[in-house]
């Protein structure tokens, strides 16, 4: 297991401050994933309906001013969803701080496997499973495993993409959502050095 001394950065131990910054960053990340494209037309946006369906009095029927009334089939929608842009701002320093807090707090869930891609000349899922078993890392449908590499590796990606609950990301793409979900975090020595460089005070 990785030791605290291997990560050369510290954090503010104020729990309320930690929760605030993590909540702010993860809210922003989730907002960026939202499409906000749901849209319905109001009575003024539905084509047609300009002519009064029948005269105001004398027919015995209820008054009607337009066939595009929300009460009519084919009419507009009352209080329906409209297109919306979900925006929230976080600074780069806030994102770095949130990642640093989570990495520090999950220190006991981090495992160093330096030879993960050694001898992986072609995609092979069994090779990766055997390598994880060597380090007593079990695949559990209820627990997420996050692998962080210093460089993108196509063979590794193809080897694990059909294994449930394993996520592979680049060290420069570390994000709060992936860290929170991860029960086990797998690093290499090179990845650890880069993390120290990026998140060092």
């Amino acid at each position: 297991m990785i030791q605290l001394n291997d990560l050369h950065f510290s954090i503010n131990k104020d729990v309320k401050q930690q929760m605030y910054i993590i909540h702010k960053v993860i809210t922003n990340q989730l907002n960026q994933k939202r499409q906000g494209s749901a849209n319905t037309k109001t009575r003024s946006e539905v084509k047609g309906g300009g002519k009064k369906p029948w005269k105001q009095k004398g027919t015995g029927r209820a008054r009607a001013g337009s066939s595009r009334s929300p009460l009519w089939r084919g009419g507009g929608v009352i209080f329906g969803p409209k297109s919306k842009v979900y925006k929230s701002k976080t600074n780069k320093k806030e994102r770095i701080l949130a990642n640093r807090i989570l990495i520090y707090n999950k220190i006991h869930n981090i495992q160093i496997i330096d030879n993960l891609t050694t001898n992986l000349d072609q995609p092979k899922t069994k090779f990766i499973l055997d390598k994880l078993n060597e380090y007593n890392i079990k695949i559990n449908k209820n627990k997420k495993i996050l692998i962080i590499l210093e460089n993108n590796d196509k063979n590794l990606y193809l080897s694990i993409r059909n294994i449930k609950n394993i996520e592979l990301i680049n060290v420069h793409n570390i994000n709060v959502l992936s860290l929170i979900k991860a029960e086990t975090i797998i690093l290499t020595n090179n990845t650890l050095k880069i993390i120290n460089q990026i998140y060092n005070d």
Side-chain angles (χ1 to χ4, degrees):
M1 282 288 181
I2 190 172
Q3 301 297 320
L4 282 172
N5 295 333
D6 295 329
L7 291 173
H8 305 295
F9 54 78
S10 59
I11 61 169
N12 189 331
K13 299 297 179 66
D14 187 344
V15 176
K16 286 186 178 180
Q17 184 181 7
Q18 288 185 17
M19 294 301 294
Y20 166 76
I21 194 68
I22 291 172
H23 176 267
K24 183 177 181 181
V25 174
I26 199 169
T27 300
N28 178 65
Q29 188 175 341
L30 291 173
N31 280 343
Q32 290 176 349
K33 290 177 176 288
R34 300 183 72 172
Q35 285 185 321
S37 57
N39 185 63
T40 54
K41 292 183 178 181
T42 64
R43 63 185 297 163
S44 64
E45 295 170 323
V46 180
K47 186 177 180 180
K51 182 183 177 182
K52 187 172 174 66
W54 51 74
K55 63 181 184 177
Q56 182 80 349
K57 292 179 174 291
T59 63
R61 289 182 287 187
R63 295 174 294 187
S66 171
S67 61
R68 297 299 177 258
S69 165
L71 304 179
W72 285 50
R73 181 179 179 182
V77 178
I78 305 174
F79 303 128
K82 303 297 290 183
S83 297
K84 182 178 179 181
V85 176
Y86 294 92
K87 266 191 176 182
S88 55
K89 183 179 181 297
T90 56
N91 299 324
K92 181 179 179 181
K93 287 185 178 180
E94 290 176 323
R95 294 193 295 271
I96 290 176
L97 178 58
N99 288 339
R100 182 190 300 158
I101 290 169
L102 286 173
I103 292 171
Y104 189 90
N105 289 339
K106 292 208 169 195
I107 196 75
H108 300 296
N109 300 89
I110 296 177
Q111 180 87 46
I112 298 291
I113 302 180
D114 205 36
N115 56 350
L116 186 61
T117 57
T118 306
N119 300 324
L120 187 62
D121 300 326
Q122 60 182 0
K124 196 168 185 181
T125 303
K126 187 177 183 301
F127 176 86
I128 300 301
L129 291 175
D130 291 340
K131 185 66 67 175
L132 294 177
N133 284 331
E134 288 180 17
Y135 291 85
N136 295 322
I137 299 174
K138 304 297 182 183
I139 306 298
N140 189 323
K141 65 179 182 178
N142 297 320
K143 295 181 179 180
K144 300 281 186 182
I145 297 175
L146 177 64
I147 301 176
I148 305 176
L149 292 182
E150 67 275 12
N151 295 311
N152 296 329
D153 190 299
K154 185 177 180 181
N155 288 334
L156 180 60
Y157 167 73
L158 294 175
S159 299
I160 69 169
R161 67 177 177 174
N162 62 340
I163 305 177
K164 262 194 168 183
N165 295 334
I166 294 186
E167 183 182 1
L168 177 67
I169 62 173
N170 188 285
V171 66
H172 298 288
N173 296 328
I174 293 176
N175 60 85
V176 172
L177 200 56
S178 295
L179 290 173
I180 284 181
K181 289 180 179 179
E183 183 73 22
T184 302
I185 301 172
I186 298 174
L187 305 177
T188 64
N189 284 324
N190 289 334
T191 304
L192 182 59
K193 291 177 183 177
I194 296 172
I195 287 174
N196 277 324
Q197 292 173 358
I198 296 174
Y199 299 104
N200 197 10
D201 291 330

